[in-house]
Amino acid sequence: MSRKIIVLDTTLRDGEQVPGAKLNVQQKIEIAQQLKRLQVDIIEAGFPASSAGDFQAVQEIVRSVGDTVSITALARAVKSDIEAVYESIKLAQNPLIHIVLGTSNIHVEKKFNRSKEAILQMGVDAVKFAKTLLPHVQYSTEDASRSDFEYLWSTIEAVVKAGATMINVPDTVGYAVPEEFGDMIRRLNDRLKNLDDRVVLSVHCHNDLGLATANTLCAVRNGADKIECTMNGLGERAGNAALEEVVMALKVRENAYQCYTGIQTSELLRTSRLVSHLTGLDVQVNKAITGDNAFAHSSGIHQDGLLKDKQVYEVMSPEDVGADSMELILTARSGRHAFKNAVEKMGFDTRDAEDFEKLFGQFLALADAKKEVYDHDVFYLVTSHRTIAPSSTRLYELASFQVISNDQHPTAAVELRMGAETLKGSAVGDGPIDALYSVIKSLAGLDVQLKDYKINSLSRGKEAVGRVNIRLEYQGKTYSGRAMDTDIIKASAHAFLNGINAALLDSAQN
Ligand code: KIV
Ligand code: ZN
């Protein structure tokens, strides 16, 4: 009989730890709502003790989707962290406290400089405290794959006796290989089932050796009932197991694994694009499941085979992951109804009439500039519109700009607005973008360093929309900004301002 695998998505916690992937509250809510449409079982919404901003974001996510999706957040094994998690998630229907503490010698001796017994006791005390607050507690044995097996088991046994309801076994540094990891999970599972078969065994794999998906699947085959993943495999260093890969492997090869998930797979591509758009981190073109080329067939032999029968070269159909081949092309004359239909087809809510009118106005402006508006454009239009920072915060807006490009002295003049204040200036640079960014930087008066600038065309045709992604550094932290427009200089200005605004918002929240 097929076994249900619980899917925890940690894009908003482990994924957001990626430098430059910092999201504001509104963006986190947008992703959480899409994760709800994707039907993940649990959302790990953040690490509330890390900052006031993170705490508030977790609370807002609970308000937005906590009535239907289980919400968890991370705590170290200390009271103040656990209290912060409890306070931020307590209003969710099904809240779960997640505690992490290392079990490997390196963690116990080098990170904590304490004895193994003392660390084990610290974990037990943390679980006992968490249980006074909520019934569901997950305990993560950080760096489990490099831990002494018997000590790892003693920890699990002790925290289960203290009340932990889920045991998560992380391959924190991506050191495990599938056979070895699977074997460890099988042994832990055997003992855990004997100890208390109501406790859920979970895995959390990192991708340092490119094995996160393989290790996760091997763990499932060996008894794990829950998996922790991120969209697009985002996460610390080389990232986490990619949700889309593990889920589709379980679906396409259900005969091999005898397991299934509750994921609405037709939402995968949309979720991947939303996360990529909001974090500014591109998905590689040949990425399994969600890369642009994942369903593109270029060789003549393959195309010939596909025309005869799709199964000749496809193990799943594009529709399974939401890569719908039926695309509607909108124009300025399509009207409200067709536009509304396209927005709703993407899963976005259009019930707020005032908000929809604003969105429709933006659509008309885009359609005038671009003539043909594709699904891609509509998607980015809605997500950009919905993730504007709260108006109460004093942020920079672009009022006007002029850029002159030549091989002598490229020059930019810019007018910015911040609340009622207007700032004007001009600068010369090595090129038009350099001039533009110099003047914006001096008007904002912030010592930001541009680290990365990328421009892509978003859709087809000569009227394609340009999407600009930038990364900048401010006070030792990395922020990203992105924007799209048919005018790439304007998109560049907006992207840079969005990066500066992200830095300002972060400083205001923390
Ligand atoms: O990689 C890791 O060990 C983690 C834990 C918090 C589960 O992210
Ligand atoms: Zn992790």
Side-chain angles (χ1 to χ4, degrees), residues 59 62 85-93 95 134:
Q59 275 189 324
V62 166
V85 169
Y86 170 68
E87 288 302 328
S88 60
I89 64 169
K90 65 183 179 191
L91 296 180
Q93 280 290 323
L134 288 177

Side-chain angles (χ1 to χ4, degrees), residues 13-14 172 204 206 236 240:
R13 199 275 299 165
D14 220 328
T172 303
H204 173 112
H206 278 268
E236 284 282 352
N240 289 55

Side-chain angles (χ1 to χ4, degrees), residues 121-151:
Q121 192 55 46
M122 190 175 159
V124 167
D125 293 343
V127 172
K128 283 187 177 158
F129 176 63
K131 288 289 281 192
T132 64
L133 304 172
L134 288 177
H136 301 298
V137 176
Q138 163 162 296
Y139 192 89
S140 280
T141 51
E142 192 179 13
D143 207 13
S145 52
R146 292 194 300 170
S147 303
D148 168 66
F149 184 82
E150 289 308 328
Y151 177 67

Side-chain angles (χ1 to χ4, degrees), residues 10 13-15 17 44 74 142 168 170-173 204-206 228 230 235-237 239-240:
T10 181
R13 199 275 299 165
D14 220 328
Q17 286 173 212
E44 184 163 46
L74 185 65
E142 192 179 13
N168 185 38
D171 178 26
T172 303
V173 289
H204 173 112
C205 298
H206 278 268
E228 299 201 348
T230 57
E236 284 282 352
R237 308 177 309 279
N240 289 55

